[in-house]
Amino acid sequence: MKYRFLALILAAALVLCALPCGALEVIPATDRDFDLPCEAAILIDEDSGTVLYEKNADQQRPIASITKVMTLLLTFEALEAGKISLDDIVPVSEHAYHMGGSQIWLEPGEQLTLNEMLKAICISSANDAAVAVAEFVGGSEPVFVEMMNTRAKELGMENTTFRNACGLDEEGHLSSARDVAVMSREMLLNHPEVKDYCTVWMDTLRDGTTQLVNTNKLLKSYQGITGLKTGTTGKAGVCISASATRDNLQLIAVVLGAASGKERFEAATTLLDYGFALYESAAVPIPADAPSTLPVEHGAEEMVELQYTAPARCLMPKGQGTAIVAELDLPDTVTAPVTQGTVLGTLNIKNSDGILQTCPITAAQDVAVRNFSFCFRRLVNGFLLVPEDFVQNE
């Protein structure tokens, strides 16, 4: 295993040497550099979405219970919108009761809170709980599945079609490693509270009578693991979307179609080790003198507020993070009219090789041109102001 890992590092070094100067445009490693015991896989940087490794990443495949990442995403979005709450009681229908596979043996009419259902989904991958939650959020599972497919299209998941909310094998229920990474990233970036559920190793429901044990064994064996979801069916094989964080670098490794749980976890471990060994997340040093506003000539407002789009952190090859700097390119003034969103300047993230990333600085508001009415009001207000020299001291 030690020699295999050294081979991975050598392959990665060759990939990094091929990077063009002036930009961190990562050329992903592939199965030609090192192979994994699975049908499809991908490794991405969570912050930027940069692909670091891929193998058959766009191949349409069943994804088993990793499907539940989309079920969870829609549920947490509904929570954020205030449509539902964690204390809500989730009804259990006959349809949810009859789900096979992994389950917590829900009974029709049983009362569990949404918080308890989320525990069952994230820790034990319970199919019955996933369908019950889908019915609660969408009104019925078919309506919820339509919501899943709509959200998938919004996220650009081009190879995904959902047929159910839990991931049981069903004709046409397909996704890809890349699409799984996309929805996993959306989940982790915008709803990190999911980690409060999927990092729990053991818990109980029903006053301690039902034990939950996490299906993600990396929680016990991998430093920095933060989630996310496992899955296994006859057609999908053994799968995982594994997320981990070390020293601010957040990675997502997707493994589809492994032959066993052991190979699934070994493949995910190999991908994560590869990413952490070769890359780091560097803080972008925004200049201390970066202005929040710019003067506007001939404007109805004297200043326009600025909107910076630079990322807080930047993916870098290991050991190069301290070499980056950020330089402002802004005019001294701008001329009205100014439209919100107009690019007024740039912040360039650089290292010794040149510019790594150019981030636009935009106007955060509209500023109209001064008109006669505006100038007249300013003139009148100027006459009405009493000069300080005329104010008598008491």
Side-chain angles (χ1 to χ4, degrees):
M1 188 67 182
K2 176 181 178 182
Y3 295 107
R4 183 185 180 192
F5 187 71
L6 289 174
L8 299 186
I9 300 303
L10 177 59
L14 294 174
V15 170
L16 289 175
C17 288
L19 298 181
C21 293
L24 187 66
E25 297 178 2
V26 175
I27 300 174
T30 69
D31 54 327
R32 291 185 295 275
D33 299 301
F34 62 91
D35 202 4
L36 299 169
C38 61
E39 295 297 323
I42 196 168
L43 174 70
I44 69 167
D45 167 43
E46 182 184 315
D47 283 336
S48 65
T50 302
V51 178
L52 307 180
Y53 175 92
E54 58 182 82
K55 172 185 177 179
N56 299 329
D58 295 310
Q59 180 187 82
Q60 283 191 307
R61 298 186 50 80
I63 59 170
S65 283
I66 297 180
T67 296
K68 296 184 178 82
V69 172
M70 182 59 80
T71 301
L72 291 167
L73 177 59
L74 292 178
T75 302
F76 277 93
E77 288 177 345
L79 281 166
E80 184 180 39
K83 297 177 181 179
I84 57 177
S85 74
L86 291 174
D87 294 327
D88 287 344
I89 299 298
V90 178
V92 179
S93 68
E94 287 283 345
H95 177 59
Y97 162 72
H98 283 104
M99 285 300 109
S102 178
Q103 57 185 300
I104 56 167
W105 304 282
L106 291 172
E107 292 288 339
E110 184 177 6
Q111 293 194 341
L112 291 180
T113 65
L114 178 58
N115 183 55
E116 292 172 315
M117 291 288 194
L118 289 174
K119 289 182 182 180
I121 296 169
C122 294
I123 301 173
S124 292
S125 194
N127 294 328
D128 47 1
V131 172
V133 168
E135 292 174 332
F136 178 65
V137 175
S140 69
E141 188 181 18
V143 171
F144 188 81
V145 169
E146 290 181 11
M147 294 167 59
M148 295 170 72
N149 286 317
T150 297
R151 194 71 179 97
K153 288 181 180 179
E154 292 172 351
L155 293 173
M157 298 167 60
E158 298 179 353
N159 292 304
T160 297
T161 302
F162 294 111
R163 300 295 188 201
N164 60 62
C166 64
L168 287 173
D169 287 334
E170 186 171 341
E171 188 67 30
H173 187 91
L174 301 169
S175 188
S176 68
R178 193 182 313 278
D179 285 358
V180 168
V182 167
M183 69 175 178
S184 298
R185 178 173 180 252
E186 181 72 15
M187 180 85 252
L188 292 163
L189 280 179
N190 296 307
H191 301 281
E193 60 271 25
V194 73
K195 298 175 187 177
D196 295 336
Y197 293 91
C198 60
T199 56
V200 175
W201 177 243
M202 294 182 67
D203 206 335
T204 61
L205 296 174
R206 300 177 176 122
D207 296 324
T209 61
T210 299
Q211 187 177 55
L212 306 177
V213 179
N214 207 302
T215 56
N216 185 0
K217 307 311 177 189
L218 292 180
L219 288 174
K220 285 291 189 180
S221 63
Y222 197 83
Q223 178 191 350
I225 199 75
T226 59
L228 177 63
K229 192 71 198 72
T230 61
T232 304
T233 65
K235 290 184 178 180
V238 189
C239 312
I240 189 171
S241 177
S243 58
T245 301
R246 291 183 187 174
D247 298 324
N248 294 307
L249 178 60
Q250 303 178 97
L251 300 177
I252 300 171
V254 177
V255 174
L256 303 181
S260 67
K262 180 182 179 182
E263 290 185 340
R264 162 181 63 186
F265 294 129
E266 284 182 352
T269 295
T270 297
L271 286 176
L272 294 171
D273 282 348
Y274 170 82
F276 288 128
L278 272 297
Y279 297 94
E280 66 177 292
S281 176
V284 175
I286 304 297
D289 60 348
S292 60
T293 60
L294 273 185
V296 181
E297 295 182 356
H298 313 301
E301 302 287 342
E302 294 183 354
M303 308 291 287
V304 60
E305 294 184 5
L306 300 178
Q307 178 72 50
Y308 288 82
T309 61
R313 309 195 70 83
C314 184
L315 180 70
M316 296 291 293
K318 194 85 165 188
Q320 296 185 25
T322 57
I324 65 171
V325 295
E327 294 183 356
L328 287 172
D329 184 2
L330 273 172
D332 294 329
T333 64
V334 294
T335 303
V338 179
T339 304
Q340 182 179 3
T342 299
V343 176
L344 303 179
T346 59
L347 187 142
N348 297 315
I349 303 172
K350 306 172 66 176
N351 67 1
S352 58
D353 292 327
I355 296 176
L356 299 172
Q357 188 174 352
T358 297
C359 306
I361 303 171
T362 62
Q365 64 188 103
D366 292 335
V367 179
V369 177
R370 293 178 187 172
N371 53 29
F372 174 79
S373 175
F374 171 84
C375 294
F376 181 75
R377 287 197 305 272
R378 290 288 296 270
L379 182 63
V380 170
N381 289 337
F383 279 120
L384 291 178
L385 290 175
V386 179
E388 289 184 4
D389 291 345
F390 290 172
V391 177
Q392 296 181 357
N393 294 324
E394 295 184 357

